[in-house]
Amino acid sequence: WGASEQNALKILEPTKIIACAWKTLGENDAVVKTLADYKGYKPGVVDDEKLVRDVWKVLDRSDVVLGHNLDRFDIRKLNTRFAVYNLDAPSYYKTIDTLKVAKKMFAFDKNNLDYLGDLLQEGRKIDNGGFKLWSECMKGDRASWKKMAEYNLQDILLLERIYLRLRKHMDNHVNLNVI
């Protein structure tokens, strides 16, 4: 929900990170963090500093980061929050953006993760209910925070399966043997 795309009249609060998930490729364990997981969390208060610092640490120790629309959205949003908290850029890492791959190497009818998962029979995204879920999370509703965590987890698990399907078609894939 970017201000320029929606002609927002006033920004009440800058964009913040309320949840994030990460997983090492091929490993079973995934991590999902929401604001509600941190000590000192208060409903209605969006203090993302601890979460942003945790994500910074993950990126700082990563050689390759994978995501869908990663370069155009996630990394830029995270970089903005890193700047807000006066964090240096994480150590250099390569990115693999499966949205870019889908657009460059294929002619899918749609390129969103849900469509690709369905078409390639790898699964679907969880319906998160849209803005209502975000709104309920901001109110401190524990069930909504749980659903947010489930949504993030399903997203990265689906992303990993889509990546593995598309990887063999990538013409400029990072050499993982070197890493």
Side-chain angles (χ1 to χ4, degrees), residues 36-161:
D37 297 326
Y38 289 90
K39 186 177 179 177
Y41 165 73
K42 293 180 183 127
V45 177
V46 186
D47 180 0
D48 67 349
E49 185 170 3
K50 292 173 186 170
L51 176 57
V52 167
R53 288 181 182 278
D54 280 350
V55 174
W56 184 92
K57 289 174 193 170
V58 171
L59 293 178
D60 190 55
R61 68 176 182 256
S62 297
D63 294 309
V64 179
V65 178
L66 170 67
H68 198 78
N69 202 19
L70 176 71
D71 293 334
R72 192 162 181 227
F73 183 79
D74 302 81
I75 295 299
R76 294 172 60 201
K77 290 294 185 183
L78 288 169
N79 285 340
T80 299
R81 299 311 293 162
F82 298 157
V84 166
Y85 294 117
N86 199 26
L87 296 169
D88 293 336
S91 298
Y92 178 77
Y93 55 87
K94 295 261 189 189
T95 62
I96 299 172
D97 189 329
T98 54
L99 177 60
K100 285 182 175 179
V101 172
K103 288 180 175 183
K104 178 181 178 187
M105 302 303 296
F106 303 91
F108 294 117
D109 295 317
K110 293 166 92 176
N111 293 307
N112 66 55
L113 196 60
D114 185 55
Y115 180 81
L116 295 177
D118 189 36
L119 179 69
L120 300 175
Q121 299 178 350
E122 293 294 346
R124 303 285 308 263
K125 289 175 66 86
I126 293 174
D127 179 15
N128 64 24
F131 185 77
K132 185 176 187 317
L133 178 63
W134 277 257
S135 178
E136 293 302 311
C137 286
M138 293 305 92
K139 293 176 187 172
D141 181 67
R142 287 289 172 179
S144 295
W145 279 116
K146 184 177 182 210
K147 187 170 186 174
M148 179 66 74
E150 290 168 358
Y151 171 77
N152 275 260
L153 177 61
Q154 172 62 16
D155 224 42
I156 63 165
L157 296 176
L158 177 59
L159 170 67
E160 182 177 43
R161 293 190 302 272

